[in-house]
Amino acid sequence: MQSDFTFSIIKPNAVRTGKTGPILSMINEAGFEISAIKMVKMTLSQAETFYEVHRGRPFFEGLVEFMSSGPVVVMILRHENAIDDFRKLIGATDPAKAEPGTIRKIFAVSVQMNAVHGSDSFENAAKEADYFFSGIERF
Ligand code: UDP
Ligand code: MG
């Protein structure tokens, strides 16, 4: 089933280096509509819960430490075919493999610090959005 929304995070490396504005601008220019947005700093345990599916992978500990290292911007984004179109806009997980002009190609500094998160399925987008936003915070 296709979704008309996705969930995204601007990761700590990008927020820390002042890339929030430029990334939001690319998201806007690509036609995504912001239906929820806020800045949060996750605890280590909250980051572990968010990335629970990756527990046990060799990169898990470093990833959750990184994701809880500073504030992030969490968002729900509306667009037709949102999940796939957003993953196209952000590019491959590894910035070295990302297409030119994608957000990760431009703003990632490594596979781990790859600037943005984008949900990979309808189920996960719904779950991730519910993890961060209550009913009165989304429009
Ligand atoms: N990651 C990492 N090393 C890896 C693979 C992934 O540090 O070898 C990090 C990276 O930040 C990535 C996140 O873990 O965005 C989640 O991995 P996933 O495979 O779900 O990639 P994504 O869906 O974010 O493209
Ligand atoms: Mg993923």
Side-chain angles (χ1 to χ4, degrees):
M1 179 179 156
Q2 253 314 325
S3 173
D4 69 343
F5 75 91
T6 189
F7 173 81
S8 177
I9 302 179
I10 303 179
K11 298 189 180 185
N13 67 297
V15 172
R16 197 179 285 132
T17 57
K19 302 304 190 302
T20 300
I23 290 172
L24 286 175
S25 180
M26 284 184 73
I27 291 171
N28 182 52
E29 273 157 35
F32 289 85
E33 192 187 317
I34 295 170
S35 78
I37 187 166
K38 65 185 172 187
M39 194 180 252
V40 297
K41 185 173 181 291
M42 283 184 268
T43 62
L44 187 68
S45 126
Q46 287 164 339
E48 284 173 353
T49 301
F50 181 76
Y51 279 116
E52 194 58 41
V53 293
H54 293 307
R55 193 184 281 279
R57 304 255 175 102
F59 61 85
F60 181 77
E61 301 298 335
L63 174 63
V64 294
E65 206 164 291
F66 162 59
M67 289 300 288
S68 59
S69 70
V72 297
V73 175
V74 293
M75 303 171 269
I76 300 171
L77 301 170
R78 286 198 187 287
H79 195 271
E80 198 181 308
N81 200 26
I83 308 265
D84 292 347
D85 284 5
F86 192 70
R87 285 187 68 97
K88 256 177 233 149
L89 177 66
I90 69 179
T93 308
D94 178 353
K97 294 175 188 152
E99 294 291 323
T102 58
I103 293 177
R104 282 170 165 170
K105 190 64 169 188
I106 297 167
F107 298 108
V109 295
S110 66
V111 178
Q112 179 189 76
M113 299 185 188
N114 59 2
V116 281
H117 165 82
S119 307
D120 62 4
S121 67
F122 170 75
E123 289 74 18
N124 285 336
K127 203 164 115 186
E128 292 168 2
D130 289 348
Y131 187 57
F132 285 100
F133 293 103
S134 68
I136 59 164
E137 293 177 305
R138 47 206 291 187
F139 305 94

